[in-house]
Amino acid sequence: MELTKKTHACVRLEKDGQTLVIDPGVFSEEDAAVGADAILVTHEHMDHFHEDRLRAGMEANPGAEIWTLASVAEQLSAAFPGRVHTVGEGDTFTAAGFEVEVHGQLHAVIHPDIPRVTNVGYLLDGGAVFHPGDALTVPEGRTVDTLLLPVHAPWNKVAEVIDYVREVAPRRAIDIHDSLLQDHARPIYDSMIDKLGGTDHGRLTPGSHTALG
């Protein structure tokens, strides 16, 4: 399995000649979903769900399908009948050759005055990779090899990020949700997570990739 980091929260995963894309949002490259056999979306916020990015992927591959929660699915189902699937916590399915489990229900709290939207995380191949979306969801009863770590957002602080890594206890953590984190702040975040997270931690520049498993 190979993981390619795209900008912000988007990643591409390739295995056995098939491609799975998660969360192609407005900060992601325009072609982030092009070439995908399957697309997963964690929630409706624009930095994770951008309709034009999804349409580009679906139109480029007539066999491509989307799995997502109801608030996103209802915006796309009419355009791609039979190719958009609604999922929620506890669901399992196969997408582009990946075995997927759905974990989580709600977006992290941004502010008490802002209503929380639905958010789901996707665990791939029994724990090989976990993408939590915008929540610090722990996939209960699962050992995670590679955690895609939302390192910087309006809804989190670095102490919470560190404690999340400790609780999930993956073999390694790779940063996502990082496009609002300026370059001069990255070494500070890296140092704290490296020292306190208790696992191998790193980040990839957009377009770079790494082997998993």
Side-chain angles (χ1 to χ4, degrees):
M1 188 189 305
E2 183 175 84
L3 180 146
T4 300
K5 173 75 165 65
K6 307 302 283 186
T7 301
H8 199 53
C10 183
V11 296
R12 292 175 69 99
L13 294 134
E14 299 178 52
K15 184 183 73 169
D16 299 332
Q18 296 194 80
T19 300
L20 174 73
V21 173
I22 305 177
D23 278 3
V26 70
F27 299 142
S28 305
E29 295 77 3
E30 291 186 6
D31 63 350
V34 174
D37 298 290
I39 305 167
L40 311 182
V41 180
T42 63
H43 66 288
E44 66 197 72
H45 288 164
M46 67 176 184
D47 55 329
H48 296 255
F49 161 54
H50 189 272
E51 187 170 343
D52 289 348
R53 306 288 191 267
L54 291 174
R55 284 179 175 272
M58 296 290 278
E59 291 168 0
N61 179 4
E65 298 178 76
I66 295 173
W67 282 263
T68 185
L69 37 74
S71 60
V72 174
E74 65 188 15
Q75 300 181 55
L76 298 167
S77 295
F80 303 103
R83 298 169 63 190
V84 181
H85 312 283
T86 302
V87 298
E89 184 176 41
D91 288 341
T92 61
F93 57 92
T94 301
F98 292 84
E99 298 301 320
V100 185
E101 299 176 13
V102 183
H103 293 263
Q105 298 183 30
L106 291 173
H107 193 287
V109 175
I110 302 170
H111 186 276
D113 290 350
I114 299 176
R116 296 172 72 184
V117 300
T118 306
N119 177 95
V120 295
Y122 297 108
L123 186 76
L124 307 182
D125 287 353
V129 183
F130 183 56
H131 190 310
D134 273 8
L136 301 180
T137 301
V138 177
E140 298 294 342
R142 292 298 190 184
T143 298
V144 176
D145 186 76
T146 298
L147 173 65
L148 301 178
L149 180 66
V151 71
H152 181 263
W155 49 267
N156 71 13
K157 59 184 180 181
V158 72
E160 295 170 335
V161 173
I162 291 166
D163 287 345
Y164 180 54
V165 175
R166 289 178 172 180
E167 187 172 6
V168 176
R171 182 179 66 83
R172 68 171 172 176
I174 297 174
D175 288 354
I176 59 168
H177 214 287
D178 55 359
S179 65
L180 300 181
L181 183 62
Q182 296 194 26
D183 288 342
H184 65 259
R186 287 182 177 271
I188 300 171
Y189 276 69
D190 289 345
S191 176
M192 288 189 286
I193 298 170
D194 289 347
K195 291 178 181 178
L196 300 173
T199 194
D200 179 29
H201 164 253
R203 53 187 170 90
L204 299 170
T205 58
S208 60
H209 54 82
T210 186
L212 303 181

